[in-house]
Amino acid sequence: MTAVVRTREDLAQARAAAQGSVAVVMTMGALHEGHATLLREARKHADVVLATIFVNPLQFGPNEDLARYPRTFDADVAVCAAEGVDVIFAPTPEVMYPYGQPQVTVHPGPLGEVLEGAVRPGHFAGVLTVVGKLLLLTRPDLAFFGEKDYQQLTLIKAMVHDLELGVEIVGVPTVREADGLALSSRNRYLSESERRAALALSRALRAGAAERDPGAVLAAARAELTGLDVDYLALRGADLSEDPAGGEARLLVAARVGATRLIDNLPVHLDGATEKETA
């Protein structure tokens, strides 16, 4: 039986009753198979699984899609129940931020100001602040995050390490549709023609990942993105460091398809490195 709690007091009571290891999966709702995969992974590794559903206003800019972000709570509860979630914490903004706009937030550091951070100033401060608060409220042993938001995952790992929060952060590979499109709650915004156009992102990543020379990786990926409004195409180290010198790296892309902004990434194995990023 999946319990839904909405207050800090009820969450504390549910957490106190949890026996054994606890895993948390943090979501903004509008759950899809990608979220279900995270929940299944959490179920495999912990005795108790906690899911959070909260559309965090702190991570949305003034011209972003907070108001129209999909909210499908009843369907989300059904997904959680099907995956064996024990407790859903679904607070309101007033519960998460009882004193209003936080005066103190978690600064993401230099990595939070590039790639997504350059396009969405303040985004990662909002993400890390809510993730930090939810980790402290839920007190899990493990927390599961998808690799589709790779920069977010990297920053969360850094925050947990640097602030010694004592949680194991587990990354789970991106879940894709049969045609390669990375699953995202925002995919529902795409028209049929926009969805076909959006496939260029995964095609570009696959084309880049087939190469081993950094310049060839970027050139192959760039060739697939013709006609799209690209925010960035970047080749970084596995830790998102600049100038990957070889070995495991990450190819990341963000682009707008119609009014919808999509991100994606893939691991790449390099023989060497000469070029790092192109807009």
Side-chain angles (χ1 to χ4, degrees), residues 152-258:
Q152 171 182 285
L153 172 62
T154 303
L155 284 165
I156 290 170
K157 287 181 176 179
M159 174 182 72
V160 167
H161 176 270
D162 290 348
L163 301 184
E164 301 187 38
L165 297 183
V167 182
E168 180 181 351
I169 304 300
V170 182
V172 178
T174 302
V175 178
R176 299 180 181 277
E177 306 219 23
D179 56 12
L181 185 67
L183 287 178
S184 168
S185 299
R186 290 182 169 92
N187 288 352
R188 67 189 66 201
Y189 299 154
L190 299 171
S191 67
E192 186 176 342
S193 61
E194 288 171 344
R195 197 186 181 290
R196 288 195 298 271
L199 295 178
L201 274 72
S202 57
R203 277 201 314 271
L205 294 174
R206 290 196 303 271
E211 303 292 339
R212 294 292 178 266
D213 172 77
V217 168
L218 287 166
R222 193 181 302 121
E224 297 290 343
L225 296 172
T226 304
L228 286 188
D229 182 7
V230 178
D231 280 340
Y232 60 79
L233 171 67
L235 182 60
R236 294 276 180 135
D239 60 355
L240 294 186
S241 57
E242 296 186 71
D243 301 315
E248 296 307 311
R250 209 83 186 184
L251 182 61
L252 307 100
V253 65
R256 300 172 193 276
V257 182

Side-chain angles (χ1 to χ4, degrees), residues 75-92:
D76 296 341
V77 172
V79 171
C80 289
E83 299 301 338
V85 171
D86 297 289
V87 179
I88 298 170
F89 179 45
T92 62

